[in-house]
Amino acid sequence: MPTYRVLVRGKFDHPTQAVRDKLLGALSQGDDLRGQLFSEAGSLTYSHHLGGFSFRVSVEVAPGDDATQEAHDQAELAAMELLDREGYPYRDLTVSSTCMDDVRIKRRRGVMFVTVSAGQRVNDSAG
């Protein structure tokens, strides 16, 4: 089954002062990088400006022509469920993803290149 790393981005839609206080309180408790990881449970990240947010999640879907759309739908639904459950108003959701089955790692002369099927390269020192 293909695994997708999905990023759902959006904006907070005029949160009340009580919601702003709740968001800022949660933000002050999470000073590490765990919120920036892709996991099956998903993680919500945002800055103290409370403008936009991102929801990162890893999903597995059945292989097929509609696998990417299915991954997007599952991730968007998970993000909306979390935001609704917490009482965070939102708008303007957009979804992007990477199928991890399409990622290939090439190593050459001490440098690691990660190549994605779309042809994008990320250069990372392999030490």
Side-chain angles (χ1 to χ4, degrees):
M1 292 180 56
T3 300
Y4 285 81
R5 286 186 173 177
V6 187
L7 182 62
V8 181
R9 294 177 191 235
K11 297 178 182 176
F12 291 113
D13 190 19
H14 306 293
T16 64
Q17 188 59 47
V19 171
R20 292 178 66 80
D21 292 343
K22 181 178 176 182
L23 285 163
L24 292 173
L27 187 62
S28 67
Q29 294 174 5
D31 292 334
D32 56 24
L33 298 176
R34 284 180 288 177
Q36 297 182 22
L37 300 176
F38 290 88
S39 68
E40 290 180 12
S43 59
L44 182 68
T45 59
Y46 51 91
S47 74
H48 68 278
H49 298 292
L50 302 182
F53 62 84
S54 63
F55 178 77
R56 292 171 167 85
V57 66
S58 178
V59 295
E60 286 187 359
V61 295
D65 293 339
D66 61 344
T68 300
Q69 185 61 50
E70 179 65 26
H72 285 201
D73 292 346
Q74 284 184 29
E76 188 173 22
L77 182 60
M80 291 187 311
E81 287 174 347
L82 172 78
L83 293 162
D84 288 339
R85 182 175 62 246
E86 295 297 324
Y88 301 155
Y90 59 91
R91 62 184 170 94
D92 303 335
L93 296 181
T94 60
V95 182
S96 60
S97 66
T98 299
C99 179
M100 298 311 293
D101 294 355
D102 294 340
V103 174
R104 288 178 233 123
I105 298 176
K106 299 178 186 178
R107 295 185 188 271
R108 282 188 247 158
R109 297 185 209 150
V111 177
M112 179 175 62
F113 292 94
V114 178
T115 305
V116 181
S117 63
Q120 300 171 325
R121 281 194 166 172
V122 177
N123 186 352
D124 186 20
S125 296

